Amino acid sequence: METDDPINLSASSLSSPSDHEPHSVTDPTPQLQAEKEGAISDSKRFQLKSIWPVAVLGMFVVLIPVGFRAYSSLSANPTESESDLDAMVEPQPRLPVRVVRAEQGLVQKWVFDNGIVWPVKRQILAFQAEGDILSIARVNGRPLRVGDFVTQGQVLATLDSRRQQSAMETADADLDVAVQERNQAQANVVQAETSLDQAQSDLELANRELTRYKELFDQGVISESDLDVYLYQVEQKKAGLEKAEQDVRSAEDGVRSAEAKIRAAQARRKEVNVDMEDTKLIAPIDGVVAYINIQEGEYWTAQRLSATTEEVLLESAPIILVNPQDIEVEIEIQADVAKTIRAGQVAHVVLEEDVSAAQSAGVGNQGLLDIAQAQGSRGTVFSVSPTQTPGSRGTQVNIRNFQLTQRLRLGGRAYVWIEVAANPNAVLVPLQALLPQDQNVYTFVVNEADGTVEKRLVQPGIDGLSRIEIVRGVEPGEFVVTEGVNRLVDGTPVEIVEQGVE
């Protein structure tokens, strides 16, 4: 049965060859066969073109109700949709930090060390003789003690000096004998000189007589034997003159010998007098007794005095006098630190015992410095040694010119703060606000407008005890983070939990 449906026709034309005979009159010709294949291809293209519009239309039909329901849902509950969006984007948490506002003020760099209080000039009084300590000076009816003021020439202590006194008496006696001998020698000189004058007169008279008798002899008045008598007299007078001259010289030698004995006796007396002085301790200056290490009745010997160390010397010397207004503090500082110290720099000194309680209570360096400034003594650097000590390789620094010294005790250990640099108009931040990193120094500054921090490169200046100068990078009044620095990066949101007060 024939049909006009091209699809069926196509199906029929594609039937197995066994259904048709190869030479049937109904077999199409080759041309007809090509036309049929073309018709089949057109039919397939028509089918594809006709399906796409239907598919697109179907999708629109399905999406329109879905979109309408979504629009209705959004319109009906817009608050919940916004909440969902907000829930999808969570805000970044803010880190709690403590901050301090940068201030402008005075910053000081201090060098700290400890040393010993010494007198600039001290007088160590020691007996040079040996013996029992006979007496110690009394002040207002009581024995001399540390802190008493004494005057120059005052006898402070004496030894038993009977041996020296006996030697002094002997020396005085020897001096008296020598003086008497000199006086006798001087008298002998006077007598010899008188005899010499007489001998000279006698010789002159004999010479005149001889001259006169020679004239008489020439005139033949006297004989030659008479003339010989006068010649002999002249020779006698010459011998007498020579003897008188010898007596004068001998008498003068006696005077010189006696004077030599006098000088020897005087020297001996001086020596004994020195020995007498060695039994006494006499104040050579007006000063204050700093140490007394003797008592009445003790036996003193030179072996008791030792100068192996300063401490031993202070503890072994009988009496030490000082000028309380002329003291110094000697410290030894590391050589690299000492390079910043110059003569004339201000120094504050306080005895260790005056700050020991505060130190035990945990007071920091700034607090200890405050105590030194309030209760200690203010002086200046007097000298900085150009050499290093052989043992510790340190540099010796001496502090003098103290305004107040009544709180400084000689031999006491003291704490010393030396101001080596200062700036009265520095921008200051706490030391803990700095973050060293990659050989640079940074700090975090709070942006008060949005609550974030900015990491800034800063240039530190003078390093104080609790705060440091910022030469560049921070302005006065800006907040810098002091706690929580290590958790921050540039732009981190922060929450200020406390504003510190410096």
Side-chain angles (χ1 to χ4, degrees), residues 25 56 151 242 389 434 460:
V25 292
V56 172
T151 58
E242 291 178 356
T389 55
L434 300 185

Side-chain angles (χ1 to χ4, degrees), residues 292-400:
I292 296 180
N293 300 308
I294 56 175
Q295 294 181 355
E296 291 182 358
E298 292 180 340
Y299 185 83
W300 171 261
T301 178
Q303 284 71 26
R304 287 182 56 179
L305 182 64
S306 175
T308 54
T309 65
E310 290 288 341
E311 290 78 4
V312 172
L313 178 62
L314 295 178
E315 294 174 356
S316 62
I319 296 178
I320 297 178
L321 300 183
V322 298
N323 182 348
Q325 302 302 320
D326 194 14
I327 65 175
E328 68 179 1
V329 176
E330 180 182 304
I331 60 178
E332 189 173 299
I333 297 180
Q334 294 181 355
D336 55 341
V337 178
K339 293 179 181 179
T340 63
I341 300 177
R342 300 288 183 273
Q345 291 174 337
V346 175
H348 293 276
V349 180
V350 63
L351 287 179
E352 183 181 36
E353 59 196 43
D354 291 339
V355 296
S356 57
Q359 198 171 26
S360 300
V363 176
N365 285 337
Q366 182 62 55
L368 296 178
L369 174 60
D370 293 340
I371 296 175
Q373 291 175 325
Q375 302 180 15
S377 300
R378 184 179 186 272
T380 56
V381 175
F382 176 76
S383 64
V384 181
S385 175
T387 61
Q388 297 181 5
T389 55
S392 61
R393 309 297 295 173
T395 299
Q396 181 176 314
V397 178
N398 294 82
I399 313 297
R400 292 187 187 178

Side-chain angles (χ1 to χ4, degrees), residues 65-379:
V66 175
F68 179 78
R69 284 194 297 271
Y71 175 78
S72 300
S73 176
L74 290 173
S75 300
N77 194 8
T79 303
E80 293 180 1
S81 300
E82 293 174 359
S83 298
D84 294 340
L85 292 175
D86 291 342
M88 294 175 61
V89 182
E90 295 182 358
Q92 186 176 356
R94 293 183 176 273
L95 294 178
V97 294
R98 287 182 171 84
V99 299
V100 167
R101 196 179 294 277
E103 297 179 351
Q104 190 168 18
L106 172 66
V107 64
Q108 298 164 294
K109 182 177 179 62
W110 298 92
V111 170
F112 168 79
D113 213 313
N114 58 72
I116 304 294
V117 182
W118 297 117
V120 175
K121 293 181 180 179
R122 62 172 177 244
Q123 295 292 333
I124 299 176
L125 308 183
F127 298 110
Q128 299 301 316
E130 296 184 356
D132 295 326
I133 298 175
L134 188 64
S135 67
I136 295 177
R138 306 186 73 83
V139 177
N140 298 326
R142 57 168 176 78
L144 184 72
R145 63 190 180 192
V146 172
D148 286 340
F149 183 82
V150 298
T151 58
Q152 183 178 5
Q154 181 177 351
V155 178
L156 305 181
T158 61
L159 291 178
D160 182 1
S161 59
R162 288 175 295 179
R163 180 177 60 82
Q164 289 80 6
Q165 186 63 42
S166 176
M168 177 65 74
E169 293 174 357
T170 301
D172 287 340
D174 292 342
L175 179 60
D176 291 340
V177 171
V179 170
Q180 292 177 2
E181 289 181 356
R182 182 195 61 184
N183 294 338
Q184 182 62 46
Q186 289 175 341
N188 293 337
V189 169
V190 172
Q191 184 177 357
E193 288 176 345
T194 301
S195 299
L196 177 62
D197 292 339
Q198 183 63 44
Q200 288 176 341
S201 298
D202 293 343
L203 178 60
E204 291 176 356
L205 179 60
N207 285 327
R208 285 195 299 271
E209 289 293 326
L210 177 61
T211 301
R212 186 167 63 86
Y213 278 97
K214 280 184 177 181
E215 293 177 352
L216 294 175
F217 176 76
D218 293 338
Q219 295 174 1
V221 176
I222 61 174
S223 63
E224 184 176 0
S225 60
D226 294 332
L227 180 61
D228 291 338
V229 171
Y230 288 99
L231 287 173
Y232 178 75
Q233 290 179 354
V234 169
E235 293 298 329
Q236 289 287 332
K237 299 303 180 184
K238 286 182 179 180
L241 178 60
E242 291 178 356
K243 182 179 182 304
E245 291 176 345
Q246 181 64 36
D247 291 342
V248 169
R249 289 192 294 269
S250 178
E252 290 175 345
D253 289 341
V255 171
R256 286 190 290 270
S257 176
E259 288 178 346
K261 290 181 179 181
I262 290 175
R263 289 192 295 271
Q266 289 174 337
R268 175 58 182 163
R269 191 178 188 282
K270 289 181 180 179
E271 182 180 355
V272 174
N273 189 53
V274 171
D275 291 340
M276 288 287 293
E277 292 178 354
D278 288 344
T279 65
K280 299 178 181 179
L281 298 184
I282 302 175
I285 61 171
D286 294 343
V288 174
V289 177
Y291 291 89
I292 296 180
N293 300 308
I294 56 175
Q295 294 181 355
E296 291 182 358
E298 292 180 340
Y299 185 83
W300 171 261
T301 178
Q303 284 71 26
R304 287 182 56 179
L305 182 64
S306 175
T308 54
T309 65
E310 290 288 341
E311 290 78 4
V312 172
L313 178 62
L314 295 178
E315 294 174 356
S316 62
I319 296 178
I320 297 178
L321 300 183
V322 298
N323 182 348
Q325 302 302 320
D326 194 14
I327 65 175
E328 68 179 1
V329 176
E330 180 182 304
I331 60 178
E332 189 173 299
I333 297 180
Q334 294 181 355
D336 55 341
V337 178
K339 293 179 181 179
T340 63
I341 300 177
R342 300 288 183 273
Q345 291 174 337
V346 175
H348 293 276
V349 180
V350 63
L351 287 179
E352 183 181 36
E353 59 196 43
D354 291 339
V355 296
S356 57
Q359 198 171 26
S360 300
V363 176
N365 285 337
Q366 182 62 55
L368 296 178
L369 174 60
D370 293 340
I371 296 175
Q373 291 175 325
Q375 302 180 15
S377 300
R378 184 179 186 272

